[in-house]
């Protein structure tokens, strides 16, 4: 999930013409549907690892709503929301959890998203 989200974020049209290595992604705490039985720390770690795995990718920092990041042109706030998209799928050896992962890219101090996407899939909560 994190790798797919990283690919979507780093190929966003909002970043066209910008060198990724010169950008800073500030990851806000993800909003996670409690029905998925994963906590926000695991979701954020998955997204962070995905972004850090991008060759010549952006710098990745945690961001909290109380922080006031500067308005630099190379800074981006990444908002994420993980939502349960149906019942658990029970397989013989594990349960898969269908999800919808919403991502928004915006500038610090601006509530409007400059880009957003939705990723649908299912994951094994033990493997996230």
């Amino acid at each position: 999930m994190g790798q797919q989200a990283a690919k979507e974020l780093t190929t966003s049209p909002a970043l066209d013409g910008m060198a990724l290595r010169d950008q800073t992604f500030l990851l806000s705490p993800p909003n996670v549907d409690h029905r998925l039985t994963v906590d926000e720390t695991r979701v954020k770690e998955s997204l962070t690892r995905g972004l850090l795995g991008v060759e010549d990718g952006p710098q990745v920092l945690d961001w909290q709503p109380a922080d006031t990041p500067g308005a630099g042109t190379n800074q981006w706030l990444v908002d994420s929301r993980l939502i349960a998209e149906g019942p658990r799928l029970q397989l013989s050896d594990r349960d898969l959890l269908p999800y919808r992962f919403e991502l928004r890219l915006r500038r610090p101090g601006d509530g409007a998203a400059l880009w957003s996407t939705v990723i649908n899939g299912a994951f094994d909560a033990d493997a996230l």
Side-chain angles (χ1 to χ4, degrees):
M1 182 176 71
Q3 289 176 334
Q4 186 176 2
K7 181 181 176 192
E8 293 284 333
L9 283 165
T10 57
T11 58
S12 160
L15 299 171
D16 269 352
M18 297 181 190
L20 275 177
R21 69 181 168 277
D22 296 333
Q23 305 305 307
T24 301
F25 282 10
L26 306 168
L27 301 182
S28 62
N31 181 332
V32 179
D33 188 329
H34 69 279
R35 295 176 293 169
L36 290 171
T37 65
V38 294
D39 62 23
E40 71 177 39
T41 303
R42 288 179 68 195
V43 173
K44 191 175 210 176
E45 181 180 328
S46 177
L47 181 55
T48 300
R49 286 176 186 247
L51 286 167
L52 291 175
V54 174
E55 188 174 334
D56 288 326
Q59 295 187 41
V60 181
L61 302 171
D62 282 344
W63 178 78
Q64 296 296 320
D67 295 342
T68 52
T73 58
N74 68 334
Q75 294 183 345
W76 299 88
L77 285 176
V78 178
D79 298 320
S80 59
R81 188 171 149 192
L82 185 62
I83 302 162
E85 255 317 92
R88 288 176 179 263
L89 305 172
Q90 295 182 330
L91 305 177
S92 61
D93 60 340
R94 65 185 179 272
D95 288 351
L96 293 180
L97 305 166
Y99 67 84
R100 182 174 75 236
F101 196 36
E102 299 174 351
L103 297 165
R104 287 183 351 142
L105 200 56
R106 61 186 175 99
R107 292 291 190 179
D110 188 359
L114 295 173
W115 173 86
S116 64
T117 194
V118 173
I119 300 169
N120 293 297
F123 64 84
D124 177 351
D126 294 332
L128 180 64

